Amino acid sequence: MNNDINKIYTVDENGFPLIKVLMRTYGEHKVLTEEAIYSFLMQDYPNKKLIILNTHKDCLKLDKNYNNIEVINKPLGLDNMSHKTHYLIKQVEKGLFCVLDDDDLLLPYHLSSLYKICKKYKLKTDTIFRCTPGRYRFYNMKTEGRKIVEG
């Protein structure tokens, strides 16, 4: 794992790899979901995309079109959070991604912090990360290996 992270991933014109944020929602917490989306939009990390899976019978519609937010309305066939997560992961070809629950908020530097940790530890493709304060968990989706980093 000697490669620089910017050589591993497709990067934007400023050298930042795309980080995809996956959100599952059922539509029962509309205000919380809107706040979660807003916390994504306020991220200081420049190359990001939010993919929202809505499994409620009513379609989720945003107030305007965002070029870095994709909404998938799929009301049938995904019974639990695990099925929803696996469905979303299949939508992500490769690269860095993390999960945002519809009742969570991201601090404005969340994605930047995750990028710095990935760069520091030279984590490779197909990495999903979850974090709790001071602790990051990284999973390699190809090897299913897990790495916990205290930070």
Side-chain angles (χ1 to χ4, degrees):
M1 297 196 357
N2 295 330
N3 294 336
D4 182 75
I5 195 168
N6 290 349
K7 294 178 184 173
I8 297 170
Y9 302 104
T10 303
V11 297
D12 67 5
E13 63 275 359
N14 296 314
F16 290 97
L18 178 64
I19 297 179
K20 296 175 184 168
V21 179
L22 310 179
M23 183 194 309
R24 307 150 302 184
T25 186
Y26 182 67
E28 69 269 22
H29 304 292
K30 186 172 180 174
V31 172
L32 294 177
T33 302
E34 289 172 358
E35 289 180 3
I37 293 169
Y38 182 74
S39 76
F40 165 80
L41 292 170
M42 295 293 94
Q43 290 297 298
D44 63 1
Y45 187 80
N47 194 11
K48 60 190 178 283
K49 180 175 184 175
L50 176 62
I51 303 172
I52 303 168
L53 174 63
N54 174 45
T55 56
H56 193 268
K57 62 182 169 88
D58 295 330
C59 290
L60 176 66
K61 295 180 182 160
L62 303 178
D63 59 346
K64 67 178 200 174
N65 289 331
Y66 297 93
N67 61 357
N68 61 346
I69 298 179
E70 176 184 351
V71 177
I72 302 169
N73 287 296
K74 186 171 177 61
L76 300 173
L78 299 170
D79 301 332
N80 60 45
M81 292 303 264
S82 178
H83 290 139
K84 294 174 188 179
T85 302
H86 287 276
Y87 179 85
L88 277 170
I89 289 171
K90 287 179 182 178
Q91 307 307 305
V92 179
E93 294 175 16
K94 64 178 182 176
L96 296 170
F97 57 100
C98 67
V99 177
L100 170 64
D101 290 328
D102 63 352
D103 61 351
D104 289 344
L105 299 175
L106 299 175
L107 293 172
Y109 52 84
H110 182 77
L111 295 181
S112 294
S113 296
L114 292 175
Y115 169 69
K116 287 175 188 172
I117 293 287
C118 286
K119 193 170 180 177
K120 178 179 179 181
Y121 290 97
K122 297 178 174 74
L123 298 172
K124 294 203 173 206
T125 59
D126 302 314
T127 299
I128 182 171
F129 35 68
R130 302 271 291 172
C131 74
T132 55
R135 177 175 250 195
Y136 299 91
R137 292 177 289 172
F138 298 91
Y139 303 86
N140 183 295
M141 300 309 289
K142 287 184 180 173
T143 64
E144 297 183 16
R146 184 168 103 169
K147 183 176 194 173
I148 297 177
V149 177
E150 302 289 335

